[in-house]
Amino acid sequence: GAVVSQHPSRVICKSGTSVKIECRSLDFQATTMFWYRQFPKQSLMLMATSNEGSKATYEQGVEKDKFLINHASLTLSTLTVTSAHPEDSSFYICSATQEGDIQYFGAGTRLSVL
Amino acid sequence: KQEVTQIPAALSVPEGENLVLNCSFTDSAIYNLQWFRQDPGKGLTSLLLIQSSQREQTSGRLNASLDKSSGRSTLYIAASQPGDSATYLCALFTGTASKLTFGTGTRLQVTL
């Protein structure tokens, strides 16, 4: 089956620093990757959709300058949380799709901002 | 805008019981519906995928049904086990920019 690797699984950082999260499709080329955010005991909320070689499409209410997304290749997308603050602490999950409907999910990244 | 609701929000059952999780959606124009399992602090594991033309899918002790006309899907778990304890999420694919819309989730606890 298709495998999506997300790294790191957990990161703790100081307020004001930037954090980069990587999402890789290991055995397929991902035409589209998605980034989700999940608050404790809540469902996943889509943050943005990224297509290889083009700018990401952000959902309403998501600050694109805060959450920088780069999809430089068909196997890698990155999410950078810039100038992180405690309210950015959350669980971030990526997914990737090749054929447009089946999304394969990474294991998630727990971000804690002190 | 598609809204997806799961009832109940939390459920605790003794081991061995059969149970049903519910997923309701407001827009019936869907391509498919998926049921996922999420363990605490972990990513998602896909359990079942039902295409819009199908009415149900089965995998082991799991059976998922889909009724587009009424905007409902159910996940039936037979002979529940403590290892089934997790959060179960339904998600709808509407084809719009390949987006999935997730339900609110049901936290299941199966006790010994």
Side-chain angles (χ1 to χ4, degrees):
Chain A
V3 178
V4 174
S5 173
Q6 189 171 341
H7 179 80
S9 58
R10 179 164 187 131
V11 58
I12 302 172
C13 69
K14 293 182 178 180
S15 184
T17 61
S18 294
V19 175
K20 180 183 286 188
I21 303 170
E22 292 188 349
C23 182
R24 294 180 184 272
S25 56
L26 298 185
D27 51 3
F28 67 101
Q29 293 187 326
T31 53
T32 306
M33 288 187 171
F34 303 86
W35 288 95
Y36 297 85
R37 181 173 183 175
Q38 186 178 34
F39 291 102
K41 296 186 178 181
Q42 294 188 26
S43 192
L44 279 70
M45 293 186 61
L46 180 65
M47 299 174 65
T49 303
S50 73
N51 293 291
E52 184 265 340
S54 61
K55 290 184 178 181
T57 301
Y58 290 81
E59 295 299 299
Q60 190 174 9
V62 178
E63 300 176 59
K64 61 181 181 180
D65 295 329
K66 175 73 169 176
F67 301 99
L68 299 179
I69 292 173
N70 183 279
H71 193 162
S73 76
L74 284 172
T75 59
L76 174 63
S77 176
T78 61
L79 168 67
T80 301
V81 183
T82 62
S83 187
H85 291 282
E87 58 266 29
D88 298 324
S89 298
S90 190
F91 192 61
Y92 294 88
I93 305 178
C94 72
S95 71
T97 180
Q98 182 181 27
E99 299 175 345
D101 56 354
I102 306 299
Q103 291 187 24
Y104 301 95
F105 286 82
T109 297
R110 171 76 57 194
L111 171 63
S112 299
V113 184
L114 304 178
Chain B
K1 178 185 176 183
Q2 178 75 274
E3 292 185 5
V4 187
T5 305
Q6 290 184 245
I7 295 173
L11 180 64
S12 181
V13 300
E15 181 180 16
E17 271 202 12
N18 303 324
L19 57 101
V20 176
L21 307 182
N22 298 289
C23 173
S24 300
F25 47 96
T26 55
D27 185 350
S28 62
I30 65 172
Y31 280 78
N32 62 48
L33 183 147
Q34 277 187 275
W35 282 92
F36 293 90
R37 168 187 173 137
Q38 185 178 31
D39 292 288
K42 303 294 184 181
L44 303 182
T45 300
S46 180
L47 299 173
L48 289 165
L49 168 69
I50 309 177
Q51 299 290 351
S52 63
S53 58
Q54 298 174 321
R55 294 193 64 84
E56 66 177 310
Q57 282 285 338
T58 299
S59 176
R61 294 182 294 110
L62 305 179
N63 176 276
S65 68
L66 174 63
D67 185 344
K68 284 177 55 179
S69 61
S70 64
R72 293 182 181 179
S73 176
T74 61
L75 179 65
Y76 175 82
I77 302 177
S80 59
Q81 303 171 358
D84 295 331
S85 299
T87 295
Y88 290 81
L89 297 163
C90 65
L92 278 65
F93 179 71
T94 58
T96 304
S98 303
K99 294 182 182 180
L100 275 177
T101 302
F102 281 85
T104 47
T106 295
R107 294 189 304 280
L108 172 65
Q109 183 175 13
V110 181
T111 58
L112 291 170

